[in-house]
Amino acid sequence: MPPPTTEPREVTLGVGSAVHSTDMVLNIGPQHPATHGVLRLRVVLDGERLLHADPVVGYMHRGAEKLFEVRDYRQITVLANRHDWLSAFGNELGVVMGVEAMLGMEVPERAVWARTLLAELNRVLNHLMFLGSYPLELGAITPIFYAFTEREEIQAVMEEISGGRMHYMFNRVGGLKEDLPAGWLDRVEAAVAAVRSRLPQLEGLLVGNEILQARTKGVGVLSPELACAYGVSGPIARASGVDLDLRRDAPYLAYGELFAPGGPGRVVTRTDGDCLARLEVLLEQTHVSLDLAQACVERLRELPPGPVNQRLPKVLKVPEGERYTATENPLGINGYHLVSRGEKTPWRLKLRSASFNNVQVLSQLLPGELVGDLVAILGSMFFVVGDVDK
């Protein structure tokens, strides 16, 4: 990509007429932390056309990876669920599953299915946030009220079991913090049914909306080759035809059974790769996650009573070695590379967050687009800035 220039150049407007023009360097952001987060885009414009875009990250950097190194494995979970605050339960899973694998620890079956259920409920919460906020960025205020109504249904059962609305802290090395409350599965089933029955109302505001289609169809097209080159994953990649989902392709928890032939699990893809395709994938994935949650509830009802965690020593030390654990978080692949020297704290715990790669591709995706489409493209990447900056 040619570097921006401030040298005037001649632009021909018609026969016998010309004007002198220079590129304009414009900073989009950094926005206030009360918004989606703090991201700065340094863009170069030629009139209304974007010539160059440089995502500038790091405004919310907390040094999470260094903090991991001075916490024991119980305390790390507190920090790990915060980089993507919309996917807190999924963030916890990668840490505890990696530690359990290095310990050679087998998690009780009831904990495996309960974790899967909570992970899918967390996925629904994540997707509903973007299904409400993305139209808001395009100028439509109504969908966010519908989305938050459904979020409250799921939030109520998540808060009941964990005590938290955002940072659940319900995972433990070896299983879960405690057993499921009496009658909780009934309330989960009722919440899932309620959301499923009312979701068509939200869909009716989005699917087929001619204004939304005009703002998103054919805009911000991401090719599968570019997605793979930048390590883009999750619904963004699948909207470009990259058929990759770790729940099916590298099963963990109970996903091997759920994504088996005849199971409720399926991978949602599109081929257009534009803003509309990304929104459609997110919407359809919400339906799939509700189906998976219902299947988990039914299995948990069938399982006999039993423990949901393993008894741990007072000082938990992980054997010397290293392991990379990846999970399919709501926004894409979330990975932790754990290196242990046999102590109670990790020697190194490297975080691979989904949003970081999904944002970096903006440098290739935005050039050539119009300024008026910038917000539509940016919002359709469905990122959480804390997940970018770590």
Side-chain angles (χ1 to χ4, degrees):
M1 178 150 328
T5 176
T6 56
E7 293 297 321
R9 63 176 182 273
E10 191 173 90
V11 179
T12 302
L13 299 178
V15 178
S17 63
V19 296
H20 291 285
S21 173
T22 59
D23 296 338
M24 176 186 291
V25 179
L26 187 65
N27 283 291
I28 311 296
Q31 299 91 359
H32 191 276
T35 64
H36 275 243
V38 182
L39 174 70
R40 173 186 167 205
L41 278 176
R42 184 177 182 272
V43 299
V44 179
L45 305 176
D46 178 15
E48 292 291 313
R49 189 73 61 180
L50 292 160
L51 298 179
H52 182 86
D54 182 23
V56 183
V57 303
Y59 290 94
M60 294 181 68
H61 183 58
R62 299 179 293 113
E65 293 177 358
K66 300 306 291 182
L67 291 173
F68 291 160
E69 297 173 13
V70 294
R71 264 65 174 182
D72 66 36
Y73 292 101
R74 294 179 176 89
Q75 296 169 324
I76 287 173
T77 315
V78 180
L79 296 172
N81 68 17
R82 281 162 164 74
H83 57 87
D84 176 0
W85 46 80
L86 296 178
S87 311
F89 192 86
N91 300 342
E92 298 172 11
L93 278 176
V95 174
V96 297
M97 287 171 54
V99 174
E100 290 161 1
M102 292 187 70
L103 289 169
M105 180 181 291
E106 187 173 342
V107 177
E109 186 178 11
R110 293 187 71 244
V112 170
W113 282 95
R115 278 178 172 179
T116 310
L117 169 59
L118 291 165
E120 290 308 310
L121 292 177
N122 193 193
R123 197 181 309 274
V124 173
L125 284 173
N126 176 288
H127 291 357
L128 283 172
M129 170 62 80
F130 288 109
L131 289 173
S133 64
Y134 183 50
L136 186 64
E137 292 164 354
L138 299 178
I141 192 172
T142 306
I144 198 165
F145 298 118
Y146 285 81
F148 266 74
T149 298
E150 308 315 323
R151 273 176 57 86
E152 282 303 312
E153 288 278 359
I154 306 297
Q155 284 281 30
V157 293
M158 294 292 282
E159 185 176 5
E160 179 187 354
I161 195 172
S162 67
R165 287 178 61 85
M166 290 183 67
H167 306 303
Y168 305 111
M169 268 303 295
F170 198 60
N171 275 300
R172 295 293 186 273
V173 175
L176 297 172
K177 175 187 173 185
E178 55 196 13
D179 205 348
L180 310 180
W184 184 76
L185 289 177
D186 295 333
R187 291 184 284 279
V188 171
E189 193 167 32
V192 168
V195 173
R196 184 186 279 121
S197 67
R198 293 195 300 259
L199 202 54
Q201 298 176 4
L202 177 60
E203 287 181 281
L205 297 172
L206 304 177
V207 178
N209 184 304
E210 60 183 35
I211 299 176
L212 186 142
Q213 286 191 335
R215 293 292 308 276
T216 58
K217 191 172 181 59
V219 175
V221 177
L222 175 65
S223 69
E225 294 79 15
L226 187 59
C228 292
Y230 272 75
V232 176
S233 60
I236 310 301
R238 290 193 285 274
S240 296
V242 180
D243 190 5
L244 173 66
D245 192 317
L246 295 184
R247 295 174 295 173
R248 178 199 63 191
D249 303 327
Y252 57 97
L253 296 181
Y255 289 119
E257 182 175 332
L258 292 171
F259 278 79
R266 56 188 175 88
V267 179
V268 179
T269 59
R270 294 289 188 274
T271 56
D272 292 341
D274 56 10
C275 296
L276 182 61
R278 293 190 275 273
L279 183 65
E280 289 176 348
V281 167
L282 213 66
L283 186 57
E284 191 173 342
Q285 279 190 172
T286 305
H287 286 282
V288 175
S289 289
L290 290 171
D291 293 340
L292 293 173
Q294 179 63 36
C296 290
V297 169
E298 293 170 1
R299 174 54 67 90
L300 283 166
R301 291 189 191 279
E302 297 171 358
L303 293 176
V308 293
N309 48 42
Q310 294 279 18
R311 189 174 183 85
L312 300 178
K314 188 172 183 180
V315 178
L316 180 63
K317 294 184 177 181
V318 171
E320 188 172 348
E322 61 181 287
R323 179 181 177 85
Y324 178 73
T325 306
T327 57
E328 187 69 40
N329 260 30
L331 298 182
I333 295 175
N334 187 73
Y336 294 98
H337 183 200
L338 171 60
V339 183
S340 172
R341 289 187 172 176
E343 301 169 347
K344 67 177 183 179
T345 59
W347 183 77
R348 184 77 171 93
L349 185 56
K350 169 67 177 174
L351 168 61
R352 190 272 187 206
S353 60
S355 297
F356 184 79
N357 297 70
N358 293 359
V359 163
Q360 296 310 305
V361 78
L362 288 170
S363 62
Q364 300 297 318
L365 188 60
L366 289 175
E369 301 287 347
L370 294 172
V371 175
D373 293 328
L374 190 151
V375 172
I377 298 170
L378 194 63
S380 74
M381 299 308 286
F382 307 134
F383 60 88
V384 171
V385 177
D387 202 40
V388 176
D389 292 339
K390 296 180 283 186

